Amino acid sequence: MLDQGAEEISLRAVARAAGVSAMAPYRHFQDKVALLQAVADHGFTMLRVDLEEADRSTDGEEALIAQGLAYLAFAERNPALFRLMFASDRKARRDNGTDRTAYDVLSQRVAGLVPATADTATLACWALVHGLATLALDGQIRSEPTQARAVLRKLVDGLGQNAGRPA
């Protein structure tokens, strides 16, 4: 239903799609805003899991690149969910199961690579990969894994060059 736009979603339409009574969603969600926040929260959990899996797939700088590629793949697989997650009125909440966010996964990896500039470097990494994902979803650039890997490599190389300098 998100593919048709979050504005078009109603609790009645969700109930109809789920094959339940029109009032059933109200037992779980106060209103449409609460439902969409729950969907966004689930999306952030899915993203965190993807980043954790990517991070475990290798180590060091390559793990950071793997996280970036996983982020881009998540956005490509779930464009409507991705847009909902980062809509201006949505906020990433801590996952109740782990008390850890996708940003925390990234931050931990970056801190291991460039501890002196970890906060700034983490924000730079997130901004770059989010920008790439958004540009690709908006059709401004083609989503090409080879090019994305090369861009992420440039970023990681730049982080290493400035590892000793404070932000």
Side-chain angles (χ1 to χ4, degrees):
M1 294 181 80
L2 281 176
D3 291 336
Q4 297 163 0
E7 313 79 42
E8 302 301 316
I9 294 175
S10 70
L11 288 178
R12 284 188 185 277
V14 169
R16 220 177 1 265
V20 298
S21 75
M23 294 309 293
Y26 289 97
R27 291 188 189 105
H28 304 281
F29 305 102
Q30 181 178 356
D31 54 21
K32 174 180 154 178
V33 172
L35 169 68
L36 292 176
Q37 183 63 58
V39 172
D41 289 348
H42 182 68
F44 280 113
T45 297
M46 291 168 52
L47 178 59
R48 177 189 49 80
V49 168
D50 284 1
L51 295 186
E52 287 173 337
E53 288 175 7
D55 193 67
R56 283 191 302 269
S57 70
T58 186
D59 58 4
E61 292 177 351
E62 285 302 314
L64 185 55
I65 291 170
Q67 281 190 42
L69 294 172
Y71 190 100
L72 295 171
F74 177 88
E76 188 173 326
R77 278 191 324 273
N78 307 287
L81 176 59
F82 183 83
R83 289 185 191 285
L84 175 70
M85 290 162 54
F86 292 99
S88 62
D89 58 343
R90 309 275 176 261
K91 301 282 187 266
R93 296 185 180 165
R94 296 239 171 234
D95 184 339
N96 291 335
T98 65
D99 199 34
R100 188 173 158 165
T101 66
Y103 194 85
D104 294 334
V105 175
L106 172 64
S107 181
Q108 184 176 352
R109 174 57 60 190
V110 171
L113 296 172
V114 288
T117 59
D119 289 344
T120 303
T122 301
L123 182 57
C125 291
W126 192 278
L128 178 104
V129 77
H130 187 79
L132 286 173
T134 301
L135 287 167
L137 290 181
D138 289 346
Q140 300 299 316
I141 60 172
R142 285 195 320 242
S143 178
E144 296 179 14
T146 304
Q147 183 180 37
R149 177 176 276 286
V151 169
L152 294 167
R153 170 49 60 198
K154 277 269 192 216
L155 175 67
V156 169
D157 289 349
L159 293 176
Q161 290 175 0
N162 296 309
R165 286 185 245 165

